[in-house]
Amino acid sequence: MRVLVAEDDRRIAADLARGLTEAGYIAECVADGEDAWFRGDTEDYAAIILDLGLPRLDGLTILKRWREGGRRTPVLILTARGSWAERVDGIDAGADDYLPKPFQMEELLARLRSIVRRSAGHASSVVSIGDVTLDERQMQVSVRGQPVPLSPLEYRLASYLVLHRGRVVSQFELNENIYGQDDAHDSNAIEVLIGRVRKKLGPDLIETRRGFGYIVPGDGA
Amino acid sequence: MRVLVAEDDRRIAADLARGLTEAGYIAECVADGEDAWFRGDTEDYAAIILDLGLPRLDGLTILKRWREGGRRTPVLILTARGSWAERVDGIDAGADDYLPKPFQMEELLARLRSIVRRSAGHASSVVSIGDVTLDERQMQVSVRGQPVPLSPLEYRLASYLVLHRGRVVSQFELNENIYGQDDAHDSNAIEVLIGRVRKKLGPDLIETRRGFGYIVPGDGA
DNA sequence: CGAGCGATGTCAGCGAGCCGTCAGCCGCGC
DNA sequence: GCGCGGCTGACGGCTCGCTGACATCGCTCG
């Protein structure tokens, strides 16, 4: 699951990248307003963390442009402590949530989970599909109540498919969202991964759409 | 179980309400000092979360009035980060615990449970997981009733994991919360510490989630 | 002041698990 | 029946985390 980090303070950006990576996301960082707008407009992210004080192009302007262009990617804005005006403006411009700096990584992750979930239309951090239950908080998947250990990549794959259930996901999309666009593999690594996940979670969770990709059945979204 | 939330920042109040509700409490919010005092004095709550900077009537004054009137409802006060004076004053005025803002919902819930438990007459804040018992008050850990001496760092590690049981905690997060983000170690100090704690408390308390971190099984606290 | 001890960071080695690759097979669709 | 896309079992390189050993530091006691 890819997340765009638009933050010009290198230290904060590095912290964010690390925290996100450890939480299982793919973090892609930009430090410049123009870049941020371009990436957010052309790439598909699960969420965007946006600092309002970017050079070259202001965060609020970026956000407005995205929304005017029809982009509904959930956006979490970072604001300076106590600046209420900024927060209100941000919400008005279409932000899904805000977080005052300095912040705790854990809180950021919680809010991020929240807006990602909201945008996907789910209500809780636990999703059940048939016998399979996925708990984002524990980063744990269970089958009929029995916890099943998944490796990091297996978990990423499973959670991405489950979060986008009811929709066909192409191998290319999986590749990009599991590994990040920079180092996409051209082998059948995804297929192998799919196989391993099926072996652990049962063969019925993930269906193959020959020639198109994979799909987890669910609410017809 | 009803909890009164006295907080004038609407956003924080809303977050609190949501988090408390999800944790199974009934949250009732007031944003005004006079209202807070009245409600706390006439209604019966399991606990009260009190921001000190309320309009119309100061939080400390409210707290003192309650206590003078004989109200023993446990009170958790919210303070600004780093303002030690406020905390001391709050404890003196009869608060049961304090929490610096910004806070993590999980930690708030943990502390809330703690003071509720304490006020209900249970032997202070004791958590048992399998054979292991952790007493936060005495900073004492026991295995099958036998006290086990832990070094300061070992105790910090164990208590942090136990306090956040049911959730995967990354090595980075442990590093930050055990040492403080200023001097994070890049070595395998955490791994060594984990090993030492396991040797003393048994190998089953802390599970390793390769690639993610560590987790103590238990209810999602 | 020096010896002793406990606490803790560092290091190297090791074993397990992870994961990409490949080759061959299967089965769907034509 | 053929071809191609997908599946699977095997393998090996590699990383991660665990462990025992050692160095260092601070404290205490003689």
Side-chain angles (χ1 to χ4, degrees), chain A residues 63-64 67 72-75 88-97:
Chain A
L63 184 50
K64 278 181 195 150
R67 295 308 186 217
R72 305 284 346 143
T73 309
V75 171
V88 174
D89 289 345
I91 299 292
D92 285 346
D96 297 80
D97 204 351

Side-chain angles (χ1 to χ4, degrees), chain B residues 151-154 179 185 187-189 192-193 196 210:
Chain B
S151 80
L153 279 188
E154 288 164 4
Y179 298 109
H185 293 89
S187 70
N188 66 345
V192 176
L193 219 45
R196 289 182 180 137
R210 194 183 171 87

Side-chain angles (χ1 to χ4, degrees), chain B residues 64-128:
Chain B
K64 278 181 194 152
R65 281 204 207 164
W66 282 335
R67 294 309 187 218
E68 283 166 8
R71 296 243 140 221
R72 304 282 351 139
T73 308
V75 171
L76 176 69
I77 58 177
L78 303 177
T79 75
R81 177 177 271 326
S83 63
W84 268 99
E86 266 192 359
R87 296 177 199 177
V88 173
D89 289 345
I91 299 292
D92 285 348
D96 296 82
D97 205 347
Y98 64 84
L99 194 61
K101 289 194 278 195
F103 53 84
Q104 308 169 9
M105 185 58 67
E106 286 182 20
E107 185 166 8
L108 181 134
L109 291 175
R111 287 170 184 263
L112 201 61
R113 271 196 305 277
S114 167
I115 63 173
V116 169
R117 226 184 297 128
R118 213 184 298 160
S119 83
H122 293 291
S124 69
S125 34
V126 176
V127 181
S128 287

Side-chain angles (χ1 to χ4, degrees), chain A residues 1-3 20 24-28 156 176-180:
Chain A
M1 199 133 60
R2 290 197 301 163
V3 173
L20 290 170
Y25 298 96
I26 312 274
E28 295 182 10
R156 273 195 208 174
E176 261 202 346
N177 283 282
I178 289 180
Y179 298 109

Side-chain angles (χ1 to χ4, degrees), chain A residues 109-130:
Chain A
L109 292 175
R111 286 169 185 267
L112 200 61
R113 272 197 303 273
S114 165
I115 65 173
V116 169
R117 221 183 302 128
R118 210 183 302 158
S119 83
H122 305 311
S124 101
S125 69
V126 177
V127 182
S128 288
I129 295 178

